[in-house]
Amino acid sequence: LNLDKLQSLITVMFKPEPAELDKNYQMLIYEEGQEDAKRGTKRKNVTFFGDSGANKKDSPARTLALWCFSCSVALRQLEKLGVHSLIITSGTLSPIEGTAEAFGVPFPVILENKHVIDVKKQLWGGVLTTGPEGAVLDASFAQRNEPAYIKSLGLMVQRLSASVPDGLLLAFHSYSQKENMLKAWRQNGIIEAITSSKPVFDEPRSNAEMQHMMEGYNRALSRKDLPAGTVGGAILAAVCRGKLCEGIDFTDRQCRMVIMVGIPYPNRNDLRVILKQSFLDSRGSDGD
């Protein structure tokens, strides 16, 4: 399997022109221990010939990576194959000017439609800076494990779930943040107050459990025999850039409200993010 990957890497390296390779690809070697991978810490950039820990059995494995940072490489290959028509559709192509430039091939026909709803009447967005008891809702890395923040966030979710009908999507930055928060709410009893209004369904890590979980979520939404004084529905605890937030279209009663816990910025210390920023800077996109 490793030889197959090496063969694919070499094929990619020698297929384009040297100038094209330098322009769109970045090669590096990094090492990442098992514990680092679990904690989500940044990868360490190393040199291939360095001897630091190279002969130790417990030393982390080194990975040779060749990353392409431009979709124009694939699109130009399609263009060379004589593809007659190519339609790209998405709800997240805006701003369209920068996206079209990144494609690297001309798109003579561009269509932008308005949203299907009246955003002035059917959509509301806001930032909640404090919880019901006045504690600051600060989801930064330094504060997100503070007991006061965990309690305040739980109370806020409980109050919203008691008043918002149907489905409520609770989106966390990562699986670990979601799991830690739900665990803390179980320990301090807040989860019982939340589930008294809506049952909570937890996004699983594996695809095998996803269908079963979604079936239970949809059954809870269609439940008719609601306890007195409740609005019904269910809560779906999910992860930004995960299987649910990115791969499923929640329509109508499946999602009446989204609670975003913090801002899902990528890890700025991740080597892929650092190299992507460097790639954009080299193309004159510094600050975009």
Side-chain angles (χ1 to χ4, degrees):
L1 178 61
N2 292 331
L3 289 178
D4 291 340
K5 291 182 178 179
L6 181 60
Q7 181 183 9
S8 300
L9 185 146
I10 294 175
T11 301
V12 172
M13 288 177 61
F14 289 95
K15 187 174 183 179
E17 296 294 329
E20 187 76 10
L21 187 64
D22 294 338
K23 181 180 178 181
N24 297 309
Y25 290 83
Q26 293 278 359
M27 174 178 282
L28 79 157
I29 301 168
Y30 67 86
E31 61 182 29
E32 181 180 56
Q34 293 182 353
E35 294 301 320
D36 291 337
K38 293 178 181 179
R39 293 194 299 266
T41 54
K42 65 178 181 179
R43 297 158 174 159
K44 180 182 178 182
N45 196 3
V46 298
T47 60
F48 184 77
F49 298 102
D51 58 358
S52 177
N55 298 321
K56 297 180 181 179
K57 294 183 179 180
D58 57 348
S59 61
R62 291 177 177 175
T63 301
L64 175 64
L66 180 66
W67 289 335
C68 178
F69 288 110
S70 176
C71 59
S72 64
V73 175
L75 291 179
R76 280 197 292 267
Q77 290 179 357
L78 290 175
E79 188 179 32
K80 291 179 180 179
L81 291 174
V83 174
H84 180 70
S85 298
L86 178 64
I87 301 176
I88 299 179
T89 62
S90 176
T92 55
L93 292 178
S94 181
I96 195 67
E97 295 81 7
T99 303
E101 181 182 355
F103 287 155
V105 295
F107 279 83
V109 180
I110 297 178
L111 174 64
E112 290 185 89
N113 289 324
K114 295 182 179 179
H115 206 287
V116 295
I117 68 170
D118 186 346
V119 295
K120 295 182 178 180
K121 297 180 179 179
Q122 297 175 267
L123 179 67
W124 177 86
V127 178
L128 299 180
T129 58
T130 58
E133 296 183 347
V136 177
L137 293 175
D138 183 356
S140 63
F141 180 81
Q143 298 295 325
R144 65 188 184 190
N145 292 323
E146 290 294 324
Y149 164 72
I150 293 174
K151 179 182 178 182
S152 187
L153 178 63
L155 293 175
M156 184 269 294
V157 172
Q158 186 274 323
R159 294 196 181 186
L160 290 176
S161 64
S163 58
V164 175
D166 301 328
L168 189 155
L169 181 63
L170 182 60
F172 292 92
H173 178 271
S174 63
Y175 282 102
S176 60
Q177 183 192 24
K178 172 179 66 69
E179 292 164 359
N180 292 336
M181 190 64 65
L182 294 178
K183 180 180 178 180
W185 287 346
R186 295 187 187 99
Q187 293 175 343
N188 61 20
I190 291 180
I191 195 70
E192 297 177 359
I194 295 175
T195 54
S196 65
S197 301
K198 296 181 188 294
V200 178
F201 292 84
D202 187 6
E203 176 185 351
R205 290 178 180 261
S206 65
N207 293 324
E209 303 173 17
M210 184 67 67
Q211 182 177 355
H212 178 72
M213 186 276 299
M214 286 301 300
E215 290 174 352
Y217 178 72
N218 290 323
R219 282 196 301 268
L221 295 178
S222 59
R223 180 181 174 184
K224 303 296 184 182
D225 54 331
L226 301 177
T230 63
V231 295
I235 295 175
L236 188 56
V239 176
C240 297
R241 296 186 296 273
K243 304 178 185 67
L244 294 179
C245 290
E246 296 292 339
I248 294 182
D249 180 22
F250 292 95
T251 59
D252 300 327
R253 65 185 309 177
Q254 283 187 318
C255 183
R256 299 297 187 188
M257 172 176 280
V258 177
I259 299 177
M260 183 76 68
V261 182
I263 303 176
Y265 289 125
N267 183 1
R268 66 177 184 178
N269 293 322
D270 187 271
L271 286 178
R272 192 186 295 270
V273 175
I274 294 173
L275 291 176
K276 179 66 174 183
Q277 290 175 332
S278 176
F279 169 77
L280 293 176
D281 291 345
S282 66
R283 295 176 61 123
S285 300
D286 190 12
D288 289 353

